[in-house]
Amino acid sequence: MSDHENLARATSTSTPTLEVHHLRTLADLNRHDRPDKPAWVHLMAKRLRKTLVICRTCHEDIHAGRSRASLRN
């Protein structure tokens, strides 16, 4: 399912499928010391934000250590 389909489903149903990924501090982004940091790490660092609103699937992927191909800016 595409990102657009996930967002459409999230906004058209009563079941919340959007979630917020939280970091304690921005410094926690540096824990991902791999040269190929996941897209969500770059996005949060670029925005200087400790939170990121994402679909449930992406949130589960982040916590499971799976990388998604892309995240929208």
Side-chain angles (χ1 to χ4, degrees), residues 1-65:
M1 188 172 283
S2 73
D3 291 338
H4 293 294
E5 290 169 324
N6 279 333
L7 184 57
R9 189 180 78 215
T11 57
S12 66
T13 65
S14 61
T15 304
T17 57
L18 290 180
E19 299 182 356
V20 180
H21 181 64
H22 298 267
L23 296 176
R24 289 186 183 104
T25 67
L26 287 174
D28 288 344
L29 293 173
N30 293 328
R31 288 187 357 199
H32 298 274
D33 53 12
R34 302 182 316 197
D36 58 336
K37 292 182 182 179
W40 64 269
V41 171
H42 291 286
L43 186 59
M44 292 181 82
K46 178 179 165 185
R47 293 181 176 177
L48 296 175
R49 296 283 185 242
K50 296 190 305 181
T51 59
L52 180 65
V53 178
I54 48 180
C55 70
R56 176 173 290 159
T57 303
C58 292
H59 198 201
E60 290 171 355
D61 287 347
I62 287 173
H63 283 283

